[in-house]
Amino acid sequence: LSNTECSASDKFAIVVHGWHENCYETFWVKDLQRNLDTYRGGCVICMDYSTFSSNGYTYLFRRFDEISSVLLKFVRILQYEGMQFDKLFMFGFSFGGQLVLDVGNQVGFGAIEAIDTCDMAGVGFDQDRFFKGIHFRNAAKNVQCIHTSIDKGTKLMNKCHQDWRMGQCGFRQPASGKPPLGSHGLCPVFYNLAFETNFYAESRPIDCIMLRDPVAEYPSGYKMGYTEHRKDQVRGELYAQTSENFPYAIPHQA
């Protein structure tokens, strides 16, 4: 922590981007850093693995363990320098979501304060027998996973304390457009908007088949995102409709 403005007693947040993204140009990363500065405070760190991204997704996927070990080593160094795991929050999108969850599982024991992920990558992971068999409910004291696509995000939407299925069953978003704002790329946009916009939980739409048991019971006004402080009361599958137009939330309370 020397040569930084961070001290060991601070809250820490680590943000990990997706494939084809980086810490310096990706708009949602900058937005999230600002939101975490405002709503959390402390030290906000972005892990940039973009040097691995230029050779295609298959190359990147094969480097998963290598990149994950770098992140784990960094977290262990922070711990060695005095950071408390119960003051560490991690966020990852897509491939980055898989990275933060893997590191959380390696730390284990629900030691980390919280992990939120946006549309964790499915390509490569869903086909992996090991991945199919694991869950992430020990990766942090609370693990909130938000699902927005079926083509790039995981089809295994059942591994976290809260599994949010946004829009059309978590498979597709009405606002989906061209990349980077397809159903997959909208996830971190929704997440950033949720600091000030309410994506309320609602009852399971009839056309959505349950992917896990149970459908969560939730208190009135329960919503997706970082600022919901009743997560310890809620476990299971959650639904929130999204709209075609900015800011994408449906203004109602279930």
Side-chain angles (χ1 to χ4, degrees), residues 66-78:
E66 186 181 335
I67 301 167
S68 179
S69 68
V70 171
L71 180 56
L72 179 63
K73 186 176 180 182
F74 179 72
V75 166
R76 290 291 189 198
I77 290 169
L78 289 178

Side-chain angles (χ1 to χ4, degrees), residues 5-254:
E5 295 176 13
C6 303
S7 69
S9 60
D10 282 346
K11 290 181 175 180
F12 283 79
I14 298 175
V15 176
V16 187
H17 59 75
W19 182 40
H20 284 330
E21 297 179 327
N22 60 50
C23 290
Y24 305 101
E25 298 160 324
T26 302
F27 70 95
W28 71 258
V29 171
K30 294 179 182 176
D31 289 347
L32 183 53
Q33 287 172 317
R34 278 193 294 270
N35 280 324
L36 290 170
D37 277 338
T38 302
Y39 289 88
R40 180 178 175 82
C43 196
V44 182
I45 301 159
C46 181
M47 181 199 191
D48 194 312
Y49 61 87
S50 57
T51 52
F52 288 91
S53 296
S54 55
N55 292 329
Y57 185 79
T58 302
Y59 176 86
L60 179 66
F61 180 75
R62 287 176 181 157
R63 296 292 179 280
F64 179 80
D65 288 344
E66 186 181 335
I67 301 167
S68 179
S69 68
V70 171
L71 180 56
L72 179 63
K73 186 176 180 182
F74 179 72
V75 166
R76 290 291 189 198
I77 290 169
L78 289 178
Q79 181 193 24
Y80 176 76
E81 296 197 355
M83 178 201 71
Q84 302 295 312
F85 276 137
D86 60 5
K87 289 185 175 180
L88 173 62
F89 169 73
M90 300 175 78
F91 175 90
F93 166 55
S94 191
F95 192 82
Q98 292 283 4
L99 287 168
V100 296
L101 291 168
D102 186 57
V103 167
N105 263 5
Q106 290 188 70
V107 171
F109 306 109
I112 291 170
E113 176 193 335
I115 294 175
D116 286 356
T117 69
C118 248
D119 218 33
M120 68 173 101
V123 180
F125 296 95
D126 284 3
Q127 295 76 30
D128 182 86
R129 198 183 333 166
F130 175 72
F131 178 72
K132 285 180 180 176
I134 60 169
H135 67 78
F136 299 111
R137 292 184 283 278
N138 296 322
K141 289 180 174 61
N142 195 84
V143 181
Q144 173 182 230
C145 298
I146 300 141
H147 306 283
T148 58
S149 80
I150 194 81
D151 57 336
K152 295 184 174 69
T154 183
K155 297 175 177 65
L156 305 172
M157 303 180 185
N158 61 353
K159 296 180 177 292
C160 310
H161 291 121
Q162 300 91 30
D163 281 292
W164 281 95
R165 297 175 63 187
M166 307 296 289
Q168 297 167 0
C169 311
F171 300 160
R172 191 183 168 280
Q173 304 310 309
S176 177
K178 292 178 181 174
L181 293 177
S183 291
H184 185 55
L186 280 168
C187 193
V189 176
F190 294 167
Y191 186 83
N192 271 316
L193 285 168
F195 281 90
E196 295 182 356
T197 300
N198 296 323
F199 291 85
Y200 288 118
E202 57 194 71
S203 55
R204 177 170 66 91
I206 296 166
D207 56 346
C208 296
I209 298 164
M210 278 176 60
L211 296 177
R212 65 171 291 183
D213 196 33
V215 169
E217 293 183 16
Y218 51 88
S220 176
Y222 189 81
K223 59 192 181 183
M224 179 275 283
Y226 179 84
T227 59
E228 175 57 72
H229 296 304
R230 297 169 290 177
K231 297 187 184 84
D232 60 344
Q233 303 173 27
V234 177
R235 295 287 182 266
E237 192 170 79
L238 292 147
Y239 296 85
Q241 294 293 317
T242 61
S243 70
E244 285 183 51
N245 301 312
F246 183 89
Y248 310 118
I250 306 281
H252 69 89
Q253 189 169 325

